[in-house]
Amino acid sequence: MIDTSKHTFIATAAFGLEGLVKRELLRLGFADARAENGGVRFTADFAGAFTACLWLACADRVLLLMAEGEARSFEELFQLVRSAPWESVLPPDAAIPVSGRCARSQLMSVRDCQAITKKAIVDRMLQGHRVRTLPETGARYAVDVALHGDVARLTLDLCGDALNRRGYRTWNGEAPLRETAAAALVRLSTWRYQEPLHDPCCGTGTLLIEAAYAAAHRASGLTRAFDMEKWACVDAQALKDIRADARAQADFSHLPPISGSDISPEALELARRHIRQAGLEGKITVYQRDLRDLQLSGPAPCFLCNPPYGERLGDRKSCEQLYRAMKGLMQRHPGCTLNVITSHPGFERVAGMHAQGRTRLYNGRLECEFLRFTR
């Protein structure tokens, strides 16, 4: 049965990016989007949730909230899980993997929480569908039980692979920047989509690709699959129509100059491969150049980069030499702006520049600052 009713969904996000994801959801028409630690809640039907999966550039996952409440004992957890209407979403043959997380909870055994959750879902499904067995031979409905303090939250994952898996990056290179983080930096930067953009430490090209997608209004998940597309409760044709509409909106015909350079030929080879796989061959230019020798012609560009951190390469001194060279890069390009993500606490002191804007966020597990410099 196709479900067209409204549900509560959660778009999860890395620390510091919840506000960005909320703005994305508001632009998509989800007027009740509400940010919280680790994500943004919104209300939609399944077609709306699929739209969010397709278009969200900075979120990690989209989850369907099935139940939430206090669980101070395993019995309370069992009853909470069993109270959710699993049979209204999951068919009798649903494959039901259960993952779990616990933080500062009295129920600290993740394995026991997973087992109790699975038992409660099966108990509810057997009764709700009036069957004796659940073969689990059908589509995947991934369940997560998350306990924080005395509160448990039960969700279904609509995505499968996390949303950063756009499909264009088949090899990460060294110390990669996740696609969702790169998309966030593009949106937090000083770049306006009509002006030239250059990444002087472009690595494998993720920032450049995400910038081109943003400027072209290209949906982040346009060419990848989502678990929910196989669910029995959704209108498959409606989802195909939503994807077709998103495909029609992408327009690469008016991209500004987007380019990158790097000192590493190996990284540039990967960048070219990723650019080609992203469908952007001929629209992004990358070439080998030391940042200290970089000189661009034409209008003042926006520089956006994720330079080596020192922790990443084990060579802080060489990284600091690169940071000092960034002041010269700006001096050679009057009117430019520079946007840098770094975990170095003394970046401004080393570079000899004062940032006009800063945002604290994480690149993986590294606490970083995203700094904006203008001249």
Side-chain angles (χ1 to χ4, degrees), residues 153-356:
R153 188 177 76 187
L154 282 299
T155 56
L156 276 175
D157 177 20
L158 279 65
C159 303
D161 287 336
L163 293 180
N164 69 290
R165 302 286 186 171
R166 319 284 207 221
Y168 63 76
R169 196 165 75 174
T170 54
W171 180 255
N172 289 329
E174 189 173 4
L177 182 70
R178 291 175 61 188
E179 296 90 330
T180 45
L185 298 187
V186 169
R187 287 154 178 79
L188 289 169
S189 75
T190 58
W191 185 47
R192 299 299 172 259
Y193 296 168
Q194 300 79 25
E195 66 182 347
L197 177 77
H198 187 88
D199 181 351
C201 307
C202 71
T204 59
T206 307
L207 272 170
L208 300 173
I209 293 169
E210 291 299 324
Y213 279 177
H217 196 57
R218 192 268 200 192
S220 298
L222 188 60
T223 57
R224 57 155 288 173
F226 300 91
D227 275 3
M228 71 171 296
E229 292 177 90
K230 297 181 179 179
W231 291 3
C233 59
V234 305
D235 184 340
Q237 186 57 52
L239 303 195
K240 290 179 182 177
D241 292 344
I242 292 168
R243 191 185 289 273
D245 179 68
R247 186 175 291 111
Q249 292 187 49
D251 181 8
F252 294 97
S253 62
H254 296 95
L255 284 182
I258 297 176
S259 59
S261 53
D262 201 280
I263 199 170
S264 167
E266 294 82 8
L268 290 169
E269 180 58 34
L270 286 174
R272 294 185 184 100
R273 183 189 306 175
H274 294 161
I275 289 167
R276 184 170 59 252
Q277 291 171 168
L280 294 168
E281 192 170 21
K283 298 177 174 65
I284 296 175
T285 303
V286 295
Y287 50 88
Q288 187 174 5
R289 192 65 50 82
D290 190 314
L291 180 148
R292 287 163 286 200
D293 301 325
L294 183 63
Q295 178 68 64
L296 303 181
S297 59
C302 170
F303 290 110
L304 173 63
C305 62
N306 172 37
Y309 294 167
E311 293 89 344
R312 180 173 72 179
L313 302 180
D315 189 354
R316 176 164 288 206
K317 284 189 176 180
S318 66
C319 291
E320 290 182 348
Q321 290 175 1
L322 182 66
Y323 302 160
R324 282 189 284 271
M326 289 187 179
K327 183 174 182 178
L329 178 68
M330 292 194 74
Q331 290 172 339
R332 293 194 300 274
H333 298 85
C336 73
T337 60
L338 173 66
N339 304 263
V340 181
I341 181 172
T342 179
S343 67
H344 194 304
F347 182 93
E348 292 171 274
R349 173 184 52 79
V350 172
M353 298 186 292
H354 177 69
Q356 282 71 49

Side-chain angles (χ1 to χ4, degrees), residues 23-40:
R23 290 197 288 275
E24 286 191 282
L25 286 166
L26 290 174
R27 282 194 294 269
L28 289 170
F30 301 106
D32 66 342
R34 177 170 56 88
E36 59 186 41
N37 286 336
V40 184

Side-chain angles (χ1 to χ4, degrees), residues 16-131:
L17 300 185
E18 298 94 342
L20 268 181
V21 174
K22 177 182 175 179
R23 290 197 288 275
E24 286 191 282
L25 286 166
L26 290 174
R27 282 194 294 269
L28 289 170
F30 301 106
D32 66 342
R34 177 170 56 88
E36 59 186 41
N37 286 336
V40 184
R41 296 193 186 213
F42 65 102
T43 303
D45 57 14
F46 279 111
F50 182 68
T51 298
C53 288
L54 269 184
W55 283 98
L56 287 175
C58 306
D60 292 329
R61 292 185 178 275
V62 178
L63 310 175
L64 169 61
L65 181 63
M66 294 298 296
E68 188 171 37
E70 291 187 352
R72 293 186 177 88
S73 67
F74 289 125
E75 177 61 24
E76 285 185 347
L77 177 61
F78 180 90
Q79 293 302 330
L80 175 66
V81 177
R82 198 185 183 287
S83 69
W86 300 98
E87 73 281 0
S88 69
V89 181
L90 280 64
D93 67 345
I96 316 171
V98 179
S99 60
R101 293 166 290 141
C102 295
R104 295 191 290 276
S105 170
Q106 297 181 50
L107 311 180
M108 285 305 296
S109 172
V110 175
R111 181 175 296 181
D112 286 344
C113 291
Q114 290 173 271
I116 288 165
T117 296
K118 184 66 173 277
K119 181 180 179 181
I121 293 172
V122 169
D123 190 59
R124 172 83 187 219
M125 292 271 288
L126 290 173
Q127 183 175 340
H129 285 298
R130 299 181 181 180
V131 295

